[in-house]
Amino acid sequence: MKDLSGQLRYLRKKTKTTQTQVSEIIGVDYRVYQKYEYGEVELALHRMIQLCIFFQISISYFVQNTPYRKYVVKQTTEFSERIATIRKEQRLRQQDVAKEIGVSERTYRRYEAGDTCPNIDTLCKLAAFYGVSVDYLVGLDVAE
């Protein structure tokens, strides 16, 4: 995975926005956003999705080392809905998915309920397990 903090700085400077502006857009305190850029705090999935929509980039830019490229990005489905749908379509049980990606069944149930989101590593494991892109998994529609 690339250096997320460096990517955030690069995107912010490329779009000529300030840390304060970006922090307001994603709903965090200015100092929290600074910590994202300094690599002191892990970026939560829902914040990463907000940043992708704002900067019009694929989430793959952050998590799968794809080059920077501007897209039209919108969220069409919530993450929790998407993973529940995919799991059911593939006729899998929650406990089987949980075991495969290395989390407890309770944790996975909380992902599907929308009570919590996985960290970036677990998100990548889920996408690989389901055989879909990370963008698709989190419900982002990424178009040219």
Side-chain angles (χ1 to χ4, degrees):
M1 188 181 314
K2 289 183 187 176
D3 173 30
L4 182 62
S5 59
Q7 291 170 293
L8 286 174
R9 267 191 309 280
Y10 171 79
L11 289 169
R12 184 178 53 76
K13 290 178 180 183
K14 184 163 186 62
T15 58
K16 298 181 175 134
T17 49
T18 66
Q19 289 179 334
T20 301
Q21 289 170 318
V22 177
S23 69
E24 289 172 358
I25 288 164
I26 66 170
V28 297
D29 184 77
Y30 163 76
R31 288 183 183 96
V32 172
Y33 181 78
Q34 276 185 321
K35 289 180 180 185
Y36 293 154
E37 280 199 10
Y38 295 143
E40 296 172 2
V41 175
E42 185 174 328
L43 186 61
L45 178 59
H46 69 283
R47 299 285 183 223
M48 187 176 293
I49 292 169
Q50 291 173 309
L51 288 166
C52 289
I53 293 168
F54 172 70
F55 288 123
Q56 293 294 288
I57 59 163
S58 164
I59 202 166
S60 300
Y61 174 76
F62 286 125
V63 301
Q64 294 176 322
N65 293 322
T66 61
Y68 170 78
R69 186 169 178 191
K70 192 165 181 163
Y71 294 95
V72 176
V73 180
K74 62 184 176 185
Q75 188 166 21
T76 58
T77 309
E78 292 291 323
F79 170 73
S80 58
E81 295 172 42
R82 183 61 55 100
I83 63 170
T85 300
I86 294 171
R87 180 185 57 77
K88 290 172 186 172
E89 286 173 353
Q90 294 186 9
R91 298 175 188 225
L92 297 167
R93 298 179 309 165
Q94 288 177 329
Q95 61 262 35
D96 296 331
V97 176
K99 182 178 179 183
E100 187 66 33
I101 64 169
V103 298
S104 71
E105 182 181 348
R106 180 174 182 262
T107 298
Y108 185 82
R109 278 197 312 263
R110 293 184 71 212
Y111 295 160
E112 282 195 13
D115 295 336
T116 190
C117 289
N119 65 27
I120 301 307
D121 291 336
T122 302
L123 177 68
C124 291
K125 288 178 187 176
L126 261 173
F129 176 72
Y130 283 135
V132 298
S133 71
V134 176
D135 292 296
Y136 179 80
L137 191 65
V138 299
L140 288 182
D141 181 20
V142 179
E144 301 277 336

